[in-house]
Amino acid sequence: MTVMTHTMLKGSNVPLEATAVRAVLRWAPSSDVPDVDASALLLGADGRVRSDEDFVFFNQPRHPSGKVWRLGKKRLAEGLTDTLQADLAGIEPAVVKILIVASADGVPFRQVRALRISLYDAVQGGDKPYAVFDVKPETGDETALICGELYRRKEGWKFRAVGEGYLNGLEGLATDFGIAVDESDNKAEAPAQPAPVPAPAQPVAPPDPGPAAASPGPQPAYGYPHQPAAPTPTPPTQPAYGYPQPAASGPAYGYPQPAPAVPPAQPAPAPDPHFKLPPQGPQFIGR
């Protein structure tokens, strides 16, 4: 089957014979070109989403119905791409329009060169697109663009080239169609600050118990009376070199005290040579 490519102008539309389509956003990469993200919004008859689940984007890459999802980014020879796919035959009847959106994360689209949306038949496949639209921002200050829309027409679907932009980015565009955007989805979380480390507590000196306070003895074993600790014997003091050791202070406990040393006897005086015994004997009896 030969596919004829429709080159579209802003505001033009083309009927779709495909039951499933791939919408490919492509742009020329460069060091000063921001990254571009593709998103889709599923709208009801009132032109608004039914709930936040009707917003398919980088933080919610697949619709709960499974009929619209992101295929992700690729680097090709002709540029970078980000792709969405929609199963048109399975879309719920309450959804009457699907917006194809490009956002540049707060960077104006004047810096994005050669932005194009191409529509492919996802069932038949092939490298030739069914429709292409070169998206040109009106002022260049836009940070989000509705590149095109898939919408119901009687029993089938059509594609319209839109090219309308928003100055307040994807958040402003989504809010305009009824999405309650959580700002934390588009902002990196601030790094957690480490908890302050408390300063080490300074040791408190115990109160002086005074000279009369006694040190507590060792604690007894649980359930037994406290046994007093045996006194530690004190080793005898060594005498100074060259001097006799003093006598022990007292006898050992339980032994008799030794008798004191007796001084040596003095020599007897020499006898008097003129000493005479008085006369003795029986001759003096009766006188």
Side-chain angles (χ1 to χ4, degrees), residues 37-41 55-59 101-106 109 143-145 166-177 179 181 186:
D37 293 302
S39 307
L41 285 85
F55 186 21
V56 178
F57 68 121
F58 46 84
N59 280 350
V101 176
S103 59
D105 195 21
F109 267 93
T143 53
L145 290 170
Y166 283 74
L167 301 179
N168 50 356
L170 185 61
E171 179 182 348
L173 184 150
T175 303
D176 200 29
F177 288 96
I179 298 290
V181 177
N186 297 324

Side-chain angles (χ1 to χ4, degrees), residues 5-256:
T5 300
H6 298 269
T7 301
M8 306 188 67
L9 299 176
K10 183 176 180 177
S12 62
N13 61 78
V14 60
L16 299 175
E17 298 178 0
T19 57
V21 295
R22 291 195 324 273
V24 180
L25 287 178
R26 189 197 70 193
W27 63 98
S30 179
S31 58
D32 61 339
V33 173
D35 194 22
V36 176
D37 293 302
S39 307
L41 285 85
L42 286 68
L43 308 181
D46 60 353
R48 296 172 66 83
V49 298
R50 297 165 298 170
S51 71
D52 290 354
E53 293 180 340
D54 285 341
F55 186 21
V56 178
F57 68 121
F58 46 84
N59 280 350
Q60 186 170 269
R62 193 176 188 91
H63 190 264
S65 67
K67 303 304 179 182
V68 180
W69 65 95
R70 297 179 79 244
L71 292 176
K73 297 183 180 181
K74 289 184 179 180
R75 179 180 289 272
L76 305 177
E78 60 271 21
L80 297 174
T81 66
D82 197 4
T83 304
L84 293 162
Q85 184 159 322
D87 180 6
L88 300 178
I91 297 292
E92 303 163 84
V95 177
V96 300
K97 186 182 294 186
I98 302 174
L99 301 183
I100 309 299
V101 176
S103 59
D105 195 21
V107 179
F109 267 93
R110 71 164 58 93
Q111 296 180 225
V112 180
R113 294 185 288 273
L115 180 63
R116 167 179 283 193
I117 180 171
S118 302
L119 216 61
Y120 294 83
D121 188 329
V123 177
Q124 298 294 330
D127 297 332
K128 193 172 183 179
Y130 185 77
V132 294
F133 171 49
D134 291 327
V135 185
K136 300 185 184 300
E138 294 181 351
T139 66
D141 294 327
E142 296 90 343
T143 53
L145 290 170
I146 301 175
C147 299
E149 62 183 21
L150 303 166
Y151 64 99
R152 291 185 187 271
R153 178 60 64 188
K154 296 182 180 180
E155 300 299 325
W157 288 82
K158 285 189 171 185
F159 175 73
R160 176 182 290 119
V162 179
E164 294 178 357
Y166 283 74
L167 301 179
N168 50 356
L170 185 61
E171 179 182 348
L173 184 150
T175 303
D176 200 29
F177 288 96
I179 298 290
V181 177
D182 184 359
E183 293 184 1
S184 63
D185 288 342
N186 297 324
K187 296 180 181 178
E189 295 184 1
Q193 297 296 326
V197 179
Q202 298 295 327
V204 180
D208 185 5
S215 301
Q219 297 297 323
Y222 183 79
Y224 293 89
H226 173 62
Q227 298 296 332
T232 303
T234 303
T237 305
Q238 296 297 326
Y241 183 80
Y243 292 88
Q245 181 177 359
S249 59
Y253 182 80
Y255 291 89

Side-chain angles (χ1 to χ4, degrees), residues 267-275:
D272 187 0
H274 301 287
F275 177 75

